[in-house]
Amino acid sequence: MTDSAPDPAPGTILITGAGSGIGKLTAQAFLGAGWRVGLMGRRAETLKDCADGHPEALVLPGDVTDPDAAESAIAAMAERWGRIDVLFNNAGLFLPAATIDEISVADWQRLARPNIDGMFLMARAAFAQMRRQTPQGGRIINNGSISAHVPRWGSAPYTMSKHAVTGLTKALSLDGRAFGIACGQIDVGNALTDMVTAMTQGVPQADGHRAPEPVMDARHVADAVLHMAGLPLSANVQFMTVMATAMPFIGRG
């Protein structure tokens, strides 16, 4: 959304990884709040399930690691609604815990493509659209992680990728100033989705033992992104941490 836009109603947002987990919950939250939402992901059926026939949902099957798919998704948003106000750069994955010497090059590349390349490609395409549209500007919200601050045991690839996301957030925040483009980052800890269910059973801790960890309802993440996206461009949440209150973050390691 832009300060100069005459319509104060919610705007347009593209959400990557919208077919499941945090992406799906966030897409549903934005649709419920009256936003026009583009849903991007690799599986068309899961995106259609999330959209559930909503008239303001635009299903955009595509792989964020494909430069053409990234640009096509942004172009489809602009064609449908004239502009893109927000990108929630959410898609990513992580690997099973292991020390770096136990991680294959192929697995590293499989993680780096969405977590680094995909983040870059989607931000690049959105930035270009936001720069040329009228009114100029928009907002990019990157999904970081607690691991953008401190690592878990055995998480070298994921931790490295999320530190890269923080660098991207800072660089876009600086480069976007001249064009009214804000960039912020949400760092999530132990939001209960299918990807983190194992944390309730027991995961490796810094001292080597395994222990279950507290989790939180992932809908709190969607609510936080909705708040960040709804701010005028004169205000920005640069970094927000949303986490299960008692999880091992403060004092991790």
Side-chain angles (χ1 to χ4, degrees):
M1 299 175 68
T2 61
D3 291 340
S4 58
D7 183 5
T12 62
I13 182 170
L14 175 61
I15 299 172
T16 65
S20 62
I22 287 172
K24 180 177 181 179
L25 291 171
T26 303
Q28 292 172 339
F30 274 80
L31 288 169
W35 285 67
R36 294 160 288 176
V37 180
L39 298 89
M40 186 177 181
R42 291 178 297 170
R43 296 179 295 276
E45 289 306 313
T46 60
L47 297 176
K48 291 176 182 177
D49 178 68
C50 178
D52 195 27
H54 197 292
E56 297 295 350
L58 178 61
V59 172
L60 298 166
D63 187 339
V64 297
T65 70
D66 179 348
D68 291 337
E71 294 186 6
S72 293
I74 297 295
M77 290 281 294
E79 182 178 357
R80 172 76 174 267
W81 291 307
R83 61 183 294 110
I84 177 170
D85 294 301
V86 181
L87 166 68
F88 182 34
N89 214 0
N90 168 68
L93 59 84
F94 59 83
L95 301 175
T99 55
I100 193 168
D101 60 309
E102 299 172 333
I103 297 164
S104 70
V105 173
D107 278 346
W108 156 247
Q109 292 173 335
R110 181 167 65 89
L111 177 140
R113 289 191 68 207
N115 290 27
I116 301 176
D117 294 352
M119 284 276 183
F120 177 89
L121 292 171
M122 292 305 304
R124 177 178 180 271
F127 193 102
Q129 172 61 35
M130 292 171 180
R131 180 176 179 175
R132 65 175 174 260
Q133 64 195 10
T134 303
Q136 189 180 61
R139 189 184 308 274
I140 297 170
I141 301 172
N142 292 325
N143 192 346
S145 171
I146 297 294
S147 292
H149 303 273
V150 290
R152 286 186 175 278
W153 178 87
S155 69
Y158 186 75
T159 297
M160 183 176 173
S161 74
K162 292 304 183 178
H163 276 67
V165 172
T166 297
L168 176 66
T169 299
K170 292 178 178 179
L172 294 179
S173 296
L174 179 59
D175 293 349
R177 290 177 186 172
F179 312 109
I181 301 171
C183 185
Q185 180 169 315
I186 185 163
D187 295 319
V188 179
N190 290 15
L192 185 56
T193 65
D194 291 342
M195 293 177 66
V196 300
T197 302
M199 292 181 182
T200 64
Q201 307 300 316
V203 290
Q205 303 297 305
D207 63 2
H209 83 287
R210 297 181 68 89
E213 293 187 5
V215 295
M216 66 171 181
D217 190 326
R219 287 176 293 185
H220 298 310
V221 181
D223 291 341
V225 176
L226 189 59
H227 168 71
M228 294 170 73
L231 292 172
L233 289 179
S234 57
N236 187 43
V237 176
Q238 188 66 68
F239 292 97
M240 178 189 289
T241 300
V242 181
M243 53 177 267
T245 303
M247 69 169 287
F249 169 42
I250 304 301
R252 184 189 287 185

